[in-house]
Amino acid sequence: MCRWTIIVLCFAHIVGQDILDFDDACHKSSAIECSASWLQRRAHRVQENSPAHAHELAMEEHSKTVSAAHASEEMSVKSMTVANSSTSFCDTHTGGPTRCVSGECMCQPGYCSDDDGRCHKKLPDVFADIVPINDEKKEFPPRQANLQTAVCLSGGGTRAMVAALGALRGLEYLDLLGRTDLLVSVSGGTWTSGPFMFSHMSKGHLLGSPTRPSELSLEELTTRPGLIGDGATHDIYHLLKTAFLNNDDPHSIWVNAFNEILLKPIGLGNMSKYMAPDDSTVQRIIRKNPHLQREDFIVPPSDRPRAFVMLGVLLAPLGHESDDDTVVSLQMSPDFSGSPFYPGREGQLQFDEEGEHWLASSDIPALKLVVGGGMVETFAFGSDTPFSDQSGGHGVRMPSPSEPLSLAKAVGVSSAAFSAYTSQAMDKLGGQRMQALIPVATLWPITSKKFPGPKAAAKFKIGDGGHMDNSGLMPALQRKVPRIVMFLNTDVKIGMKSDFCAYTPVGAGELGSAAAWYFLDKFGLGAHVDGSFLMHNQVFRFKDLQPILCDLQTHRRAGRPAVSLRELEVLKNSWWGIEGGWKVKLLVYHLDKSKVFESQLPADTQKEIAAGKEGMFANFPQFTMVRQNPRSLISYTSAQVNLLSSLVEYGVRQHAGYFREVLAGIPRNLWEPQPSAGFEALHPREAAQGDSEELADILHSR
Ligand SMILES: *[C@@H]1O[C@H](CO)[C@@H](O)[C@H](O)[C@H]1NC(C)=O
Ligand SMILES: *[C@@H]1O[C@H](CO)[C@@H](O)[C@H](O)[C@H]1NC(C)=O
């Protein structure tokens, strides 16, 4: 019987033929690649079936991740036939030039299929740098090393996107973005950070102008937000639906939809372009890879944070289950991408085969894999195993990835959270097909003395970083950043029932629902949360949690935006490769209601908020990720975008002292003689401007 390495070959045998003509010269391990094309066939087949049947299947397969193997089992029973004449179907379905031969889609000469079952142009091998980051050599690549400050933008769908917009606007207003070395974002946070990092348009254009609450009348609020915020007013529902009905390639549907609404409008929607950190790097890459050109790359403007991490996850290799012990972070950056350190027990991950029933065979061994160990230059990410120097080196030769890790793909992957809300919302269109949308990437580990090479590449299901760390804190701690700001743009309200400032300790049960769950997991409460993989995220002592919740509660009670600034000892966490025994200055912003903010709003806006569910701002500020507005899946109105982003911007500016202490390293008492004194009394803009001038003086005199 089959063993894992040849499972897919066996299936190919069972199924008879595959949908694509595999060209061996194209790819070293094409056997594994076929699995993804089965996904496509299944997707197509399900659509041919009645909606009721699709729904049944959806219910039956209420699992988090796609089962390629399972799919192929079904295919062996009932195979899809393509009408002989429908080459155009093949073209849209395989994302590249194809021809239809005897009812099968074949790649045209010069093209070959890859991990996603689509036809890609054959490209020359590439020469790229590999950086080991593991027990033997712990250093991150230069741009991601020696970072002093970090800002982390949490996930949380459109709410997190819009709140992140307000956060960046506030920080920019205080001139603190230029003092941020590392920006980490997850999911919805990446919908804002991705465009912000790479667009060369003015920051004002992108983020919108600074606001003050007293000016946010309904008339003002209904004007169009800045360019990035405008993206939040466009819905993806119709794009997804059209794509489904057109039979578009399922792997691209999600990424394409976000590309369409978020990136294309600001000129970043070309998915043939690679990411790179700056022009001199592009020149170096081109020198070593003459088939690439300057136009093939996008780079961030020079005034953006030096390091940028879009957080995704590796769920499991195709055909295998993901669980708490297999999910691993995938860190996508303009310079290097991959998975640092060797996560897992003793640095290895154990993957069980997916589903108990498929093949009903015990012959398929659980898979034990070494994953991670470092990063590869982003333009080469997704390649097959390098020909040499898998343990790291400069200009290492490897097969070209079949398509770039484009900004759109990174943004889409970082937010590919179908498992939870989207598949539910998409049930009408055949929720089960959402499973087939999970992106796939080729990954190989960086080898070392402990895990010597060569080690083969595998196809991983990849997805939303929020499954594992929805805060973005962990990549910052991995890089030992000593001063960190976290924006928790959550819909969880700060617990107000118990008094966290009382001397008596409050139990884990109550603390465990008192703030964003992806903050509490950092204190060892990760096991309390179902449906996510947070078990391995403890980095702080449990006893350090209550004082922070006390801070948040105190501000919340006083009607102020809730923040807490504390110095915490970092605990060792070997799963993430985090060295313990050092201290981090951590500023937490926790999204919640602010009475002070609301009291400054013009009367008509206040009235609208007071109208609750009946008004324009139902749930404010905890807007829902899905169906905040009855006629859309994820979009908000301009007024909602403007109000929520202004709340967060206000929070940053009102707590300017805290933010400056952390990001500019300037002791707080320079800015706030009495903590929070006069907070309510000061006119926001005057206060902030006064501070800015004072700050400029201080900085210049240093
Ligand atoms: C497609 O064409 C081949 C011959 O080229 C023929 O044998 C086959 O029956 C045709 N299939 C369909 C579905 O028309
Ligand atoms: C996208 O970028 C590629 C690579 O630079 C270029 O060849 C192509 O023309 C661009 N496509 C569009 C639509 O601009």
Side-chain angles (χ1 to χ4, degrees), residues 82-84 102-103:
V82 180
N84 269 354
S102 308

Side-chain angles (χ1 to χ4, degrees), residues 35-86:
S35 52
S37 61
W38 281 320
L39 297 184
Q40 294 188 355
R41 285 203 286 178
R42 180 167 72 153
H44 183 72
R45 187 172 59 79
V46 170
Q47 205 204 341
E48 288 172 336
N49 286 320
S50 69
H53 180 57
H55 186 73
E56 255 171 54
L57 281 176
M59 299 312 287
E60 186 185 304
E61 297 197 11
H62 192 62
S63 66
K64 277 199 193 69
T65 49
V66 70
S67 163
H70 189 179
S72 54
E73 186 193 21
E74 288 180 1
M75 286 310 304
S76 67
V77 181
K78 187 179 174 187
S79 179
M80 183 190 81
T81 43
V82 180
N84 269 354
S85 57
S86 63

